[in-house]
Amino acid sequence: MSGFKTEAVVCHDPNESELNSFDDDNSKNVVFKILDEIHEEDKGSVSNVSRKTELRGLSERFLRWRRSHLPVDGDHKRVRGSGKRSGPLLSGTAYCISSCSMIIINKIVLSSYNFNAGISLMFYQNLISCLVVAVLDCCGAVSVEKLNWKLIKVWIPVNVIFVGMLVSGMYSLKYINVAMVTILKNATNIITAIGELYMFRKRQNNKVWAAMFMMIISAISSGITDLTFDSVGYTWQIANCILTASYSLILRRVMDKAKQSTRSGSLNEVSMVILNNLLSLPFAVMLIILLGEWRYVITTDVIRVPMFWVVATASGFLGLAISFTSMWFLHQTGPTTYSLVGSLNKVPISIAGLVLFKVPLSLPNLFSILFGLFAGIFFARAKMS
C-alpha cells in the first residue's frame, strides 16, 4: 500500500491555484498564449527581463498543472510499473489457489461422494469449460481461433492422449490419497526428460539427473510405506504419468503443424483450451457408452444430491480457471518461475490432502512424502541452472 500512497502524492504550489480551475479550453489558451509570446520574441520584439520572467513562470505553472491533472507518459509508466510489480504475485496466487482447489474438489467428488464415474465427471467439467469460453468469446473477452477439419485432424492424436491423461488422473485420485498422488506425479518429470533426450536430443545437466534419482527413491519409499496402498490406484497413476509426459512431448511436435492448419497462422492458448475440451466430448461420450458408465450415472443416488452438483460444477469452473491462471502466470513471469512455483505448490496440496481426508500416516511415510516434495523443488531449481 505504501507504494500506491507514494504515487498518489502530488506536490502542490500556491501558484497552481490559478490553473486548477482551468478547463480544457482554457488550458489550450494558455498553451497558445505561450507560443504566441515566443513567436513574437523570435520576430524581433524587444522584451524586458520582467516580461521574460513572467513568461517563464507561466510556462512552469502550466507544466506543473498538466503533470497533476493530465495523464502523461510518466504517469502511465508509474501505473504500469505498479501493475508489473503486483501482476506476478496476483497471477501466482490465483494459479496456486485454483490448482490446489481443483485437486481437492476432484478428490471430494470421487471419494467423499463415492462417485464411480470418472469419465462422466470429466465430460461434465469439459462441457462447462466449453460453454464458459463460448460465452467469453461472444462477449469479446477472449479470442478463439475458428476450427476447421484440417486443424481437427492434426489435433486428434493430442486430444486422445489428453482424454487418457484426464481419465487416469480421475481414477488415481479415487484410490490414492492426495499427498501420494503429488509425489508420484514427480515420475512425469523423469519420463519427460528421457523423452526429450530421445525425441529432441535435449541433454540435462548432472543436477537434473540427481534430482530425478531423488524422485525415484522418494516414489519407491513412499509406495512401500503407504498405509493406504492400493494397486489399482497406483496403476492408474503410473498410466497418468506416462500419458502426461507423452502429452507434453507430442504437443511440442504438433504445435507448429497445428498453427499452419489455422487460417490466421497462429494458435493462442485459449484456442488450445477450447480445442482440447471440445474434441474430448465425443470421445467421452463413446467411452461412457462402451464402458456402460451411463447405467451407473442414471441409477446412482448421489446425482440426486444438490450439493454434489454444486461441487461438480465448481470443479468444471476450476478446471478452466487453472488453464487461464497458468497462462496468466506464465505471461507475467516465465517458464522457470512457473515450474518452480508448480513444484512449491505441491507442498500445500499434500498437507491439505493429509489433513482434510484424515489419511492414516506413519513416520516413515511422512518422511518419504517430505523427501519427495524436496526432490521436486530441487528438480525445478536444477532446471534453472
Side-chain angles (χ1 to χ4, degrees):
M1 291 297 293
S2 60
F4 290 102
K5 290 179 181 178
T6 303
E7 291 172 3
V9 173
V10 178
C11 295
H12 295 286
D13 190 281
N15 293 327
E16 289 184 281
S17 58
E18 303 172 23
L19 295 167
N20 286 340
S21 59
F22 282 8
D23 55 16
D24 290 339
D25 292 335
N26 288 334
S27 65
K28 291 178 182 177
N29 292 334
V30 173
V31 177
F32 292 141
K33 182 178 179 181
I34 294 170
L35 293 175
D36 289 341
E37 295 284 354
I38 295 173
H39 183 64
E40 289 298 326
E41 284 190 3
D42 290 341
K43 291 171 69 173
S45 59
V46 180
S47 300
N48 55 32
V49 176
S50 61
R51 184 61 177 167
K52 290 182 179 180
T53 304
E54 181 184 352
L55 180 60
R56 191 181 302 110
L58 184 61
S59 301
E60 291 176 354
R61 289 201 303 273
F62 173 75
L63 290 174
R64 284 196 298 269
W65 174 85
R66 183 179 183 273
R67 196 161 46 242
S68 302
H69 291 78
L70 298 178
V72 294
D73 292 341
D75 295 329
H76 285 307
K77 288 178 182 178
R78 284 196 295 270
V79 172
R80 285 197 298 267
S82 301
K84 191 173 182 180
R85 286 194 296 270
S86 60
L89 178 61
L90 291 175
S91 59
T93 303
Y95 167 67
C96 290
I97 292 174
S98 59
S99 179
C100 292
S101 302
M102 182 65 177
I103 293 178
I104 298 297
I105 285 186
N106 275 346
K107 181 66 176 178
I108 291 173
V109 173
L110 295 168
S111 297
S112 299
Y113 283 99
N114 198 27
F115 187 65
N116 296 318
I119 301 174
S120 299
L121 178 61
M122 180 202 71
F123 173 82
Y124 185 64
Q125 290 174 346
N126 292 356
L127 178 62
I128 290 175
S129 297
C130 291
L131 293 175
V132 173
V133 172
V135 171
L136 293 176
D137 184 34
C138 292
C139 297
V142 296
S143 176
V144 178
E145 183 70 33
K146 300 298 181 183
L147 302 184
N148 58 73
W149 180 241
K150 185 179 179 181
L151 175 61
I152 291 173
K153 285 194 297 184
V154 171
W155 202 263
I156 281 179
V158 177
N159 193 253
V160 171
I161 300 174
F162 174 74
V163 172
M165 180 181 70
L166 293 183
V167 172
S168 58
M170 291 283 188
Y171 281 108
S172 66
L173 268 176
K174 178 173 177 58
Y175 296 103
I176 308 177
N177 66 71
V178 174
M180 286 306 307
V181 167
T182 57
I183 297 306
L184 294 175
K185 277 182 176 294
N186 283 335
T188 303
N189 297 327
I190 302 171
I191 300 171
T192 303
I194 296 173
E196 286 179 337
L197 178 61
Y198 284 96
M199 293 177 64
F200 303 105
R201 297 294 185 267
K202 182 179 179 181
R203 299 186 179 277
Q204 308 293 342
N205 58 48
N206 292 332
K207 289 183 180 179
V208 172
W209 289 113
M212 288 191 286
F213 179 75
M214 293 168 60
M215 290 177 184
I216 295 173
I217 298 298
S218 68
I220 294 174
S221 60
S222 298
I224 293 174
T225 57
D226 186 9
L227 300 179
T228 59
F229 179 86
D230 189 293
S231 59
V232 175
Y234 273 71
T235 302
W236 278 115
Q237 185 53 50
I238 292 172
N240 177 257
C241 292
I242 296 172
L243 290 168
T244 302
S246 301
Y247 175 75
S248 63
L249 293 169
I250 299 298
L251 184 61
R252 294 182 194 179
R253 285 200 162 182
V254 172
M255 192 93 65
D256 293 334
K257 192 175 181 181
K259 290 179 180 179
Q260 296 171 4
S261 303
T262 61
R263 296 175 183 175
S264 64
S266 63
L267 191 66
N268 59 30
E269 290 85 353
V270 179
S271 299
M272 287 189 281
V273 169
I274 190 65
L275 196 59
N276 267 336
N277 286 278
L278 189 61
L279 293 182
S280 70
L281 298 181
F283 285 111
V285 170
M286 286 189 293
L287 289 173
I288 290 170
I289 294 173
L290 290 174
L291 299 177
E293 200 173 89
W294 63 274
R295 295 190 185 92
Y296 167 81
V297 173
I298 62 175
T299 57
T300 184
D301 293 331
V302 72
I303 64 171
R304 297 174 179 84
V305 179
M307 196 61 195
F308 168 79
W309 287 106
V310 172
V311 177
T313 303
S315 69
F317 279 100
L318 283 171
L320 185 61
I322 290 175
S323 299
F324 281 110
T325 55
S326 60
M327 288 185 291
W328 180 25
F329 185 45
L330 191 60
H331 178 73
Q332 290 286 334
T333 55
T336 300
T337 306
Y338 178 81
S339 63
L340 181 59
V341 171
S343 298
L344 291 172
N345 198 30
K346 293 179 179 180
V347 178
I349 293 175
S350 301
I351 295 173
L354 294 173
V355 174
L356 291 176
F357 300 101
K358 300 177 181 178
V359 178
L361 198 65
S362 64
L363 187 60
N365 187 235
L366 177 61
F367 176 78
S368 299
I369 291 173
L370 294 176
F371 183 72
L373 294 174
F374 171 76
I377 297 171
F378 182 72
F379 174 81
R381 293 288 298 178
K383 291 284 283 185
M384 294 171 63
S385 60

